[in-house]
Amino acid sequence: MATNVFEEGKIHWQNVNVDSSPKPLLLLSPTVPGTYPVILFCHGFCLRNTCYSKLLGLIASHGFILVAPQLFSAGIPTLGPSEVKWAGSIVDWIAEGLQPLLPESVKAQLDSLVLAGHSRGGKTAFAVALGYVQTKLKFSVLIGIDPVAGLSKCKICQTLPHILTYEPRSFNLGIPVLVIGTGLGPEPNSFTILACAPDGVNHEEFYKECRPPCAHFVAKEYGHMDMLDDHIPEIIDGVISKCLCKNGVHPRELMRKTVAGLVVAFLRAYLKAQFEDLEIILKDPGLAPSKLEQVEYVPE
C-alpha cells in the first residue's frame, strides 16, 4: 500500500503578504476553484513566519489554506502571553477578513478551522484551543509541531499562560490532536547548555495530556529546527535556525516532507473522514521520508 502525502501535492497555490489583518501575515491559498479547510499556523520562538515557507507550501499543495501571522515583532517575543491574544485576534479576522483576499472561486471552509504551531507557537496553538482567549470561530483539529512550554518543568521557567498540568489526559479540548516531536530536540548542541525542546515541557508532555483521538509521531534523527527552510535570508533567523538547537545530519527537505505528510494525512482523516493515508502510515511508519519512532495513536 502507498500514500502520496509525503510528496508535493498537485494543487497550484499562491503566497501573498497581508497587512490588513491585526498582525502582518503570510497567506498561502490554492488557486484552483474549490472549498478548502483553513489552517492558522503560529511560528516559533524568535522566528519569522517566512522561515516556514517551504513546509507551508507543501501543505498548501494538498488543498489547504494557510494563514501564518507574524505574532512577534521581528520574531522577538514578549514576556507575557500576548501571542495568545494576537492569535485569537487573527482567528476573529479570519471569520470576516480572509474570504475577500482569496482567489476567485476559492472559498474558505471556516467550519473546518485548524490550529497549528511550532515550538512556542505550538504551545500558543494549544493555549488558544484550551480557551485562554475567546474567539468567534470554533476549531476542528489541533496540531503541535515539537511544541515547547518553556525551559523546564519549574513554573517560573515556563512561558505564560501555564497550560501544562502534568496530569495525563487533562487537556479538555474536545477535538482531535496531532503531536509531532523530534528526537534531538531535548539535547543541547555543542554551542549551548540548554536544549531547545527540554524534557518535561516538550512534545512528550503535551501528548500525555491529550485526550483521544490523538496521535504522536517522533522523528528520531532530526532536531527542533529541522523543518524550517534551508536558506533563510535574515541573519538572526538563520543563526537561530542553524546554531541555537541541535540539528540532524540528514537533509531538512526530508523532515519537511515528513511533517507535511503527517499533517495532511491527519487532516484528511479528521476533516474529510478519509482515514486511509493515516492508517497506512500507522501500519508502516517506514514510508515516511525521515525515520519515525514512538508512533502512537489513540482513536475515539
Side-chain angles (χ1 to χ4, degrees), residues 115-177:
L115 272 172
H118 165 243
S119 187
R120 178 166 171 167
K123 182 268 181 84
T124 297
F126 269 82
V128 174
L130 286 166
Y132 283 87
V133 63
Q134 296 300 310
T135 58
K136 295 179 181 179
L137 298 175
K138 303 299 182 182
F139 310 107
S140 297
V141 177
L142 173 62
I143 299 171
I145 300 172
D146 222 17
V148 178
L151 297 175
S152 75
K153 292 180 66 173
C154 174
K155 286 290 186 181
I156 198 173
C157 295
Q158 294 185 26
T159 58
L160 297 173
H162 296 149
I163 67 172
L164 295 179
T165 66
Y166 298 98
E167 294 290 337
R169 297 191 176 183
S170 58
F171 285 157
N172 186 19
L173 293 162
I175 55 176
V177 185

Short mmCIF file of all heavy atoms in Angstrom, two decimals, residues 115-177:
data_model
loop_
_atom_site.label_atom_id
_atom_site.label_comp_id
_atom_site.label_asym_id
_atom_site.label_seq_id
_atom_site.Cartn_x
_atom_site.Cartn_y
_atom_site.Cartn_z
N LEU A 115 -5.95 24.65 14.11
CA LEU A 115 -4.93 25.39 14.85
C LEU A 115 -3.63 24.59 14.79
O LEU A 115 -3.62 23.39 15.09
CB LEU A 115 -5.34 25.56 16.31
CG LEU A 115 -6.18 26.77 16.69
CD1 LEU A 115 -6.63 26.63 18.14
CD2 LEU A 115 -5.39 28.05 16.50
N ALA A 116 -2.53 25.26 14.43
CA ALA A 116 -1.25 24.57 14.36
C ALA A 116 -0.14 25.53 14.75
O ALA A 116 -0.30 26.75 14.70
CB ALA A 116 -1.00 24.03 12.95
N GLY A 117 0.99 24.97 15.16
CA GLY A 117 2.12 25.81 15.50
C GLY A 117 3.35 24.98 15.81
O GLY A 117 3.27 23.79 16.10
N HIS A 118 4.50 25.66 15.73
CA HIS A 118 5.79 25.02 16.00
C HIS A 118 6.44 25.66 17.22
O HIS A 118 6.38 26.88 17.41
CB HIS A 118 6.72 25.17 14.79
CG HIS A 118 8.16 24.86 15.09
ND1 HIS A 118 9.16 25.81 14.98
CD2 HIS A 118 8.76 23.72 15.50
CE1 HIS A 118 10.31 25.26 15.30
NE2 HIS A 118 10.10 23.99 15.62
N SER A 119 7.06 24.85 18.08
CA SER A 119 7.83 25.33 19.21
C SER A 119 6.93 26.13 20.15
O SER A 119 5.87 25.66 20.56
CB SER A 119 9.02 26.16 18.71
OG SER A 119 9.89 26.51 19.76
N ARG A 120 7.31 27.37 20.48
CA ARG A 120 6.44 28.21 21.32
C ARG A 120 5.11 28.46 20.63
O ARG A 120 4.07 28.59 21.28
CB ARG A 120 7.15 29.52 21.63
CG ARG A 120 6.31 30.49 22.46
CD ARG A 120 7.16 31.61 23.03
NE ARG A 120 6.36 32.66 23.64
CZ ARG A 120 6.85 33.61 24.41
NH1 ARG A 120 8.15 33.63 24.68
NH2 ARG A 120 6.07 34.54 24.92
N GLY A 121 5.13 28.49 19.29
CA GLY A 121 3.88 28.64 18.55
C GLY A 121 2.97 27.44 18.69
O GLY A 121 1.75 27.56 18.63
N GLY A 122 3.55 26.25 18.89
CA GLY A 122 2.74 25.07 19.16
C GLY A 122 2.04 25.20 20.49
O GLY A 122 0.86 24.85 20.63
N LYS A 123 2.77 25.70 21.50
CA LYS A 123 2.16 25.95 22.80
C LYS A 123 1.07 27.00 22.68
O LYS A 123 0.00 26.89 23.31
CB LYS A 123 3.24 26.39 23.79
CG LYS A 123 2.75 26.63 25.22
CD LYS A 123 2.37 28.09 25.41
CE LYS A 123 1.90 28.39 26.82
NZ LYS A 123 2.99 28.64 27.74
N THR A 124 1.30 28.05 21.86
CA THR A 124 0.28 29.08 21.63
C THR A 124 -0.99 28.47 21.05
O THR A 124 -2.10 28.79 21.48
CB THR A 124 0.82 30.17 20.69
OG1 THR A 124 1.94 30.82 21.31
CG2 THR A 124 -0.25 31.20 20.38
N ALA A 125 -0.83 27.57 20.08
CA ALA A 125 -1.99 26.92 19.48
C ALA A 125 -2.77 26.14 20.52
O ALA A 125 -4.01 26.16 20.55
CB ALA A 125 -1.54 26.01 18.33
N PHE A 126 -2.07 25.43 21.40
CA PHE A 126 -2.74 24.70 22.47
C PHE A 126 -3.49 25.65 23.39
O PHE A 126 -4.63 25.38 23.80
CB PHE A 126 -1.73 23.88 23.27
CG PHE A 126 -1.53 22.48 22.77
CD1 PHE A 126 -0.67 22.22 21.71
CD2 PHE A 126 -2.19 21.40 23.35
CE1 PHE A 126 -0.46 20.93 21.25
CE2 PHE A 126 -2.00 20.11 22.89
CZ PHE A 126 -1.14 19.87 21.83
N ALA A 127 -2.86 26.78 23.74
CA ALA A 127 -3.49 27.73 24.65
C ALA A 127 -4.77 28.30 24.06
O ALA A 127 -5.79 28.44 24.75
CB ALA A 127 -2.51 28.85 25.00
N VAL A 128 -4.74 28.62 22.76
CA VAL A 128 -5.94 29.13 22.10
C VAL A 128 -7.04 28.06 22.10
O VAL A 128 -8.21 28.33 22.40
CB VAL A 128 -5.63 29.58 20.66
CG1 VAL A 128 -6.91 29.97 19.92
CG2 VAL A 128 -4.65 30.75 20.67
N ALA A 129 -6.66 26.82 21.77
CA ALA A 129 -7.64 25.73 21.74
C ALA A 129 -8.23 25.46 23.11
O ALA A 129 -9.39 25.05 23.23
CB ALA A 129 -6.99 24.46 21.19
N LEU A 130 -7.44 25.69 24.15
CA LEU A 130 -7.91 25.45 25.52
C LEU A 130 -8.78 26.57 26.06
O LEU A 130 -9.29 26.49 27.17
CB LEU A 130 -6.70 25.25 26.45
CG LEU A 130 -5.98 23.89 26.32
CD1 LEU A 130 -4.64 23.93 27.02
CD2 LEU A 130 -6.85 22.78 26.90
N GLY A 131 -8.94 27.63 25.27
CA GLY A 131 -9.86 28.70 25.66
C GLY A 131 -9.24 29.84 26.44
O GLY A 131 -9.97 30.59 27.10
N TYR A 132 -7.93 30.01 26.37
CA TYR A 132 -7.29 31.13 27.05
C TYR A 132 -7.58 32.46 26.37
O TYR A 132 -7.23 33.51 26.89
CB TYR A 132 -5.78 30.89 27.16
CG TYR A 132 -5.43 29.92 28.25
CD1 TYR A 132 -5.41 28.55 28.02
CD2 TYR A 132 -5.12 30.37 29.53
CE1 TYR A 132 -5.10 27.64 29.03
CE2 TYR A 132 -4.81 29.47 30.55
CZ TYR A 132 -4.80 28.12 30.29
OH TYR A 132 -4.51 27.23 31.30
N VAL A 133 -8.21 32.41 25.22
CA VAL A 133 -8.72 33.59 24.55
C VAL A 133 -10.03 33.19 23.88
O VAL A 133 -10.16 32.08 23.37
CB VAL A 133 -7.71 34.15 23.52
CG1 VAL A 133 -7.44 33.15 22.41
CG2 VAL A 133 -8.19 35.47 22.94
N GLN A 134 -11.00 34.08 23.91
CA GLN A 134 -12.29 33.80 23.29
C GLN A 134 -12.23 34.16 21.80
O GLN A 134 -11.69 35.20 21.43
CB GLN A 134 -13.40 34.60 23.97
CG GLN A 134 -13.62 34.20 25.43
CD GLN A 134 -14.00 32.75 25.60
OE1 GLN A 134 -14.91 32.26 24.93
NE2 GLN A 134 -13.31 32.05 26.49
N THR A 135 -12.80 33.31 20.96
CA THR A 135 -12.77 33.54 19.52
C THR A 135 -14.16 33.34 18.92
O THR A 135 -14.99 32.63 19.48
CB THR A 135 -11.78 32.57 18.83
OG1 THR A 135 -12.17 31.22 19.12
CG2 THR A 135 -10.36 32.80 19.32
N LYS A 136 -14.35 33.94 17.75
CA LYS A 136 -15.64 33.84 17.06
C LYS A 136 -15.83 32.48 16.41
O LYS A 136 -16.96 32.02 16.22
CB LYS A 136 -15.74 34.93 15.99
CG LYS A 136 -15.78 36.35 16.53
CD LYS A 136 -15.86 37.35 15.40
CE LYS A 136 -15.86 38.79 15.92
NZ LYS A 136 -15.91 39.78 14.80
N LEU A 137 -14.73 31.85 16.02
CA LEU A 137 -14.79 30.57 15.32
C LEU A 137 -14.37 29.42 16.23
O LEU A 137 -13.56 29.60 17.14
CB LEU A 137 -13.89 30.59 14.08
CG LEU A 137 -14.22 31.62 12.99
CD1 LEU A 137 -13.17 31.59 11.90
CD2 LEU A 137 -15.61 31.35 12.42
N LYS A 138 -14.91 28.26 15.97
CA LYS A 138 -14.54 27.05 16.67
C LYS A 138 -13.47 26.31 15.88
O LYS A 138 -13.25 26.56 14.70
CB LYS A 138 -15.76 26.16 16.90
CG LYS A 138 -16.89 26.83 17.67
CD LYS A 138 -16.46 27.26 19.05
CE LYS A 138 -17.61 27.89 19.82
NZ LYS A 138 -17.18 28.36 21.17
N PHE A 139 -12.83 25.36 16.54
CA PHE A 139 -11.72 24.65 15.92
C PHE A 139 -12.06 23.18 15.72
O PHE A 139 -12.77 22.58 16.52
CB PHE A 139 -10.46 24.80 16.77
CG PHE A 139 -10.17 26.24 17.12
CD1 PHE A 139 -10.37 26.70 18.41
CD2 PHE A 139 -9.72 27.12 16.15
CE1 PHE A 139 -10.14 28.02 18.74
CE2 PHE A 139 -9.48 28.45 16.46
CZ PHE A 139 -9.68 28.90 17.75
N SER A 140 -11.51 22.61 14.66
CA SER A 140 -11.80 21.22 14.31
C SER A 140 -10.67 20.27 14.64
O SER A 140 -10.89 19.10 14.97
CB SER A 140 -12.13 21.11 12.81
OG SER A 140 -13.28 21.86 12.50
N VAL A 141 -9.42 20.76 14.54
CA VAL A 141 -8.24 19.92 14.77
C VAL A 141 -7.14 20.81 15.36
O VAL A 141 -7.05 22.00 15.04
CB VAL A 141 -7.73 19.27 13.47
CG1 VAL A 141 -6.45 18.47 13.72
CG2 VAL A 141 -8.79 18.35 12.86
N LEU A 142 -6.29 20.22 16.20
CA LEU A 142 -5.14 20.91 16.79
C LEU A 142 -3.87 20.14 16.43
O LEU A 142 -3.83 18.92 16.57
CB LEU A 142 -5.30 20.99 18.30
CG LEU A 142 -4.13 21.54 19.12
CD1 LEU A 142 -3.80 22.99 18.73
CD2 LEU A 142 -4.43 21.44 20.61
N ILE A 143 -2.84 20.89 16.00
CA ILE A 143 -1.58 20.26 15.60
C ILE A 143 -0.42 20.98 16.29
O ILE A 143 -0.26 22.20 16.15
CB ILE A 143 -1.37 20.31 14.08
CG1 ILE A 143 -2.49 19.54 13.38
CG2 ILE A 143 0.01 19.74 13.70
CD1 ILE A 143 -2.49 19.71 11.87
N GLY A 144 0.39 20.23 17.05
CA GLY A 144 1.58 20.78 17.67
C GLY A 144 2.82 20.16 17.05
O GLY A 144 3.01 18.94 17.09
N ILE A 145 3.66 21.00 16.44
CA ILE A 145 4.91 20.54 15.82
C ILE A 145 6.04 20.86 16.80
O ILE A 145 6.43 22.00 16.96
CB ILE A 145 5.13 21.21 14.46
CG1 ILE A 145 3.97 20.88 13.52
CG2 ILE A 145 6.46 20.76 13.85
CD1 ILE A 145 4.00 21.65 12.20
N ASP A 146 6.53 19.84 17.47
CA ASP A 146 7.54 19.98 18.52
C ASP A 146 7.21 21.14 19.46
O ASP A 146 8.01 22.07 19.65
CB ASP A 146 8.94 20.17 17.91
CG ASP A 146 10.00 19.36 18.64
OD1 ASP A 146 9.63 18.43 19.38
OD2 ASP A 146 11.19 19.65 18.47
N PRO A 147 6.01 21.12 20.06
CA PRO A 147 5.61 22.21 20.96
C PRO A 147 6.49 22.28 22.20
O PRO A 147 6.95 21.26 22.70
CB PRO A 147 4.16 21.85 21.31
CG PRO A 147 4.10 20.36 21.18
CD PRO A 147 5.02 20.03 20.03
N VAL A 148 6.71 23.50 22.69
CA VAL A 148 7.56 23.72 23.86
C VAL A 148 6.88 24.75 24.76
O VAL A 148 6.43 25.79 24.30
CB VAL A 148 8.96 24.22 23.47
CG1 VAL A 148 9.81 24.47 24.71
CG2 VAL A 148 9.66 23.21 22.58
N ALA A 149 6.86 24.45 26.08
CA ALA A 149 6.19 25.34 27.04
C ALA A 149 7.17 26.14 27.89
O ALA A 149 6.75 26.90 28.75
CB ALA A 149 5.28 24.53 27.96
N GLY A 150 8.49 26.00 27.64
CA GLY A 150 9.46 26.76 28.43
C GLY A 150 10.78 26.03 28.53
O GLY A 150 11.09 25.14 27.74
N LEU A 151 11.56 26.42 29.54
CA LEU A 151 12.90 25.88 29.71
C LEU A 151 12.95 24.63 30.57
O LEU A 151 13.88 23.83 30.47
CB LEU A 151 13.83 26.94 30.31
CG LEU A 151 14.04 28.20 29.46
CD1 LEU A 151 14.89 29.21 30.23
CD2 LEU A 151 14.72 27.83 28.14
N SER A 152 11.96 24.48 31.47
CA SER A 152 11.94 23.31 32.36
C SER A 152 10.56 23.19 33.00
O SER A 152 9.69 24.05 32.80
CB SER A 152 13.01 23.44 33.45
OG SER A 152 12.61 24.38 34.43
N LYS A 153 10.37 22.16 33.82
CA LYS A 153 9.10 21.95 34.50
C LYS A 153 8.84 23.01 35.57
O LYS A 153 7.70 23.20 35.98
CB LYS A 153 9.06 20.55 35.12
CG LYS A 153 9.01 19.43 34.11
CD LYS A 153 8.98 18.07 34.79
CE LYS A 153 7.71 17.83 35.57
NZ LYS A 153 7.62 16.44 36.08
N CYS A 154 9.86 23.68 36.01
CA CYS A 154 9.70 24.74 37.01
C CYS A 154 8.80 25.83 36.44
O CYS A 154 9.04 26.34 35.34
CB CYS A 154 11.06 25.32 37.36
SG CYS A 154 11.01 26.75 38.45
N LYS A 155 7.75 26.19 37.16
CA LYS A 155 6.76 27.14 36.66
C LYS A 155 7.39 28.46 36.24
O LYS A 155 6.99 29.07 35.24
CB LYS A 155 5.69 27.40 37.72
CG LYS A 155 4.71 26.25 37.92
CD LYS A 155 3.78 26.11 36.72
CE LYS A 155 2.71 25.06 36.99
NZ LYS A 155 1.80 24.88 35.84
N ILE A 156 8.35 28.94 37.00
CA ILE A 156 8.95 30.23 36.69
C ILE A 156 9.73 30.20 35.38
O ILE A 156 10.01 31.24 34.78
CB ILE A 156 9.87 30.69 37.86
CG1 ILE A 156 10.14 32.20 37.76
CG2 ILE A 156 11.16 29.90 37.88
CD1 ILE A 156 10.89 32.76 38.94
N CYS A 157 10.06 29.00 34.93
CA CYS A 157 10.81 28.84 33.68
C CYS A 157 9.91 28.54 32.49
O CYS A 157 10.39 28.29 31.39
CB CYS A 157 11.85 27.73 33.82
SG CYS A 157 13.14 28.07 35.03
N GLN A 158 8.59 28.55 32.71
CA GLN A 158 7.65 28.28 31.64
C GLN A 158 7.01 29.58 31.15
O GLN A 158 6.81 30.52 31.92
CB GLN A 158 6.57 27.31 32.11
CG GLN A 158 7.11 25.93 32.42
CD GLN A 158 6.01 24.94 32.78
OE1 GLN A 158 4.87 25.09 32.36
NE2 GLN A 158 6.36 23.92 33.55
N THR A 159 6.68 29.60 29.86
CA THR A 159 6.05 30.78 29.29
C THR A 159 4.58 30.85 29.71
O THR A 159 3.95 29.84 30.01
CB THR A 159 6.14 30.75 27.76
OG1 THR A 159 5.53 29.56 27.26
CG2 THR A 159 7.59 30.79 27.30
N LEU A 160 4.05 32.06 29.73
CA LEU A 160 2.65 32.27 30.09
C LEU A 160 1.76 32.14 28.86
O LEU A 160 2.17 32.49 27.75
CB LEU A 160 2.49 33.65 30.71
CG LEU A 160 3.23 33.89 32.03
CD1 LEU A 160 3.12 35.35 32.45
CD2 LEU A 160 2.70 32.98 33.12
N PRO A 161 0.54 31.66 29.04
CA PRO A 161 -0.02 31.11 30.28
C PRO A 161 0.50 29.71 30.57
O PRO A 161 0.92 29.00 29.65
CB PRO A 161 -1.52 31.08 29.97
CG PRO A 161 -1.59 30.86 28.49
CD PRO A 161 -0.43 31.64 27.92
N HIS A 162 0.48 29.31 31.82
CA HIS A 162 0.92 27.97 32.19
C HIS A 162 -0.20 26.98 31.88
O HIS A 162 -1.21 26.95 32.57
CB HIS A 162 1.25 27.93 33.68
CG HIS A 162 2.40 28.80 34.07
ND1 HIS A 162 2.51 29.42 35.29
CD2 HIS A 162 3.49 29.19 33.36
CE1 HIS A 162 3.62 30.13 35.34
NE2 HIS A 162 4.24 30.01 34.18
N ILE A 163 -0.01 26.17 30.85
CA ILE A 163 -1.09 25.27 30.44
C ILE A 163 -0.83 23.81 30.81
O ILE A 163 -1.77 23.03 30.91
CB ILE A 163 -1.36 25.37 28.92
CG1 ILE A 163 -0.18 24.84 28.11
CG2 ILE A 163 -1.68 26.80 28.52
CD1 ILE A 163 -0.48 24.73 26.62
N LEU A 164 0.43 23.43 31.02
CA LEU A 164 0.72 22.04 31.36
C LEU A 164 0.31 21.76 32.80
O LEU A 164 0.60 22.53 33.71
CB LEU A 164 2.21 21.74 31.18
CG LEU A 164 2.74 21.82 29.74
CD1 LEU A 164 4.24 21.53 29.71
CD2 LEU A 164 2.00 20.84 28.83
N THR A 165 -0.36 20.64 33.00
CA THR A 165 -0.85 20.27 34.33
C THR A 165 -0.08 19.09 34.92
O THR A 165 -0.16 18.86 36.12
CB THR A 165 -2.33 19.87 34.26
OG1 THR A 165 -2.45 18.66 33.48
CG2 THR A 165 -3.16 20.97 33.61
N TYR A 166 0.60 18.33 34.08
CA TYR A 166 1.31 17.12 34.47
C TYR A 166 0.37 16.06 34.99
O TYR A 166 0.74 15.22 35.83
CB TYR A 166 2.45 17.45 35.45
CG TYR A 166 3.45 18.36 34.77
CD1 TYR A 166 3.41 19.74 34.98
CD2 TYR A 166 4.38 17.85 33.86
CE1 TYR A 166 4.29 20.59 34.32
CE2 TYR A 166 5.26 18.69 33.19
CZ TYR A 166 5.21 20.06 33.43
OH TYR A 166 6.07 20.89 32.75
N GLU A 167 -0.84 16.11 34.47
CA GLU A 167 -1.84 15.08 34.72
C GLU A 167 -2.23 14.45 33.38
O GLU A 167 -2.60 15.18 32.45
CB GLU A 167 -3.09 15.68 35.38
CG GLU A 167 -2.85 16.22 36.78
CD GLU A 167 -2.60 15.12 37.79
OE1 GLU A 167 -3.03 13.97 37.54
OE2 GLU A 167 -1.97 15.40 38.83
N PRO A 168 -2.13 13.15 33.23
CA PRO A 168 -2.46 12.51 31.95
C PRO A 168 -3.88 12.82 31.49
O PRO A 168 -4.82 12.84 32.30
CB PRO A 168 -2.29 11.01 32.24
CG PRO A 168 -1.35 10.97 33.40
CD PRO A 168 -1.65 12.17 34.22
N ARG A 169 -4.00 13.12 30.21
CA ARG A 169 -5.29 13.38 29.56
C ARG A 169 -6.08 14.49 30.25
O ARG A 169 -7.30 14.42 30.35
CB ARG A 169 -6.11 12.09 29.48
CG ARG A 169 -5.43 11.02 28.62
CD ARG A 169 -6.36 9.86 28.33
NE ARG A 169 -5.72 8.90 27.42
CZ ARG A 169 -6.31 7.81 26.95
NH1 ARG A 169 -7.57 7.55 27.30
NH2 ARG A 169 -5.67 7.01 26.12
N SER A 170 -5.38 15.50 30.70
CA SER A 170 -6.04 16.60 31.40
C SER A 170 -6.52 17.71 30.47
O SER A 170 -7.34 18.54 30.87
CB SER A 170 -5.09 17.20 32.44
OG SER A 170 -3.89 17.67 31.82
N PHE A 171 -6.02 17.74 29.23
CA PHE A 171 -6.44 18.78 28.30
C PHE A 171 -7.89 18.52 27.85
O PHE A 171 -8.17 17.53 27.18
CB PHE A 171 -5.55 18.82 27.06
CG PHE A 171 -4.19 19.43 27.29
CD1 PHE A 171 -3.13 19.11 26.44
CD2 PHE A 171 -3.97 20.33 28.32
CE1 PHE A 171 -1.88 19.68 26.62
CE2 PHE A 171 -2.72 20.89 28.52
CZ PHE A 171 -1.67 20.56 27.67
N ASN A 172 -8.77 19.42 28.19
CA ASN A 172 -10.17 19.29 27.80
C ASN A 172 -10.39 20.04 26.49
O ASN A 172 -10.87 21.17 26.48
CB ASN A 172 -11.08 19.84 28.90
CG ASN A 172 -12.54 19.60 28.61
OD1 ASN A 172 -12.90 18.75 27.79
ND2 ASN A 172 -13.42 20.36 29.25
N LEU A 173 -10.01 19.42 25.40
CA LEU A 173 -10.02 20.08 24.09
C LEU A 173 -11.26 19.74 23.26
O LEU A 173 -11.81 20.60 22.58
CB LEU A 173 -8.75 19.70 23.31
CG LEU A 173 -7.44 20.23 23.89
CD1 LEU A 173 -6.25 19.47 23.33
CD2 LEU A 173 -7.31 21.72 23.59
N GLY A 174 -11.64 18.49 23.26
CA GLY A 174 -12.82 18.09 22.51
C GLY A 174 -12.62 18.01 21.01
O GLY A 174 -13.59 17.93 20.25
N ILE A 175 -11.35 18.04 20.56
CA ILE A 175 -11.04 17.93 19.13
C ILE A 175 -9.84 16.99 18.96
O ILE A 175 -9.06 16.80 19.89
CB ILE A 175 -10.73 19.30 18.49
CG1 ILE A 175 -9.59 20.01 19.25
CG2 ILE A 175 -11.97 20.16 18.43
CD1 ILE A 175 -9.17 21.32 18.60
N PRO A 176 -9.68 16.40 17.77
CA PRO A 176 -8.52 15.54 17.51
C PRO A 176 -7.22 16.34 17.59
O PRO A 176 -7.17 17.51 17.21
CB PRO A 176 -8.77 15.02 16.10
CG PRO A 176 -10.23 15.21 15.86
CD PRO A 176 -10.61 16.43 16.63
N VAL A 177 -6.16 15.69 18.08
CA VAL A 177 -4.87 16.35 18.26
C VAL A 177 -3.76 15.49 17.65
O VAL A 177 -3.68 14.29 17.90
CB VAL A 177 -4.55 16.60 19.74
CG1 VAL A 177 -3.26 17.41 19.88
CG2 VAL A 177 -5.71 17.30 20.44
#
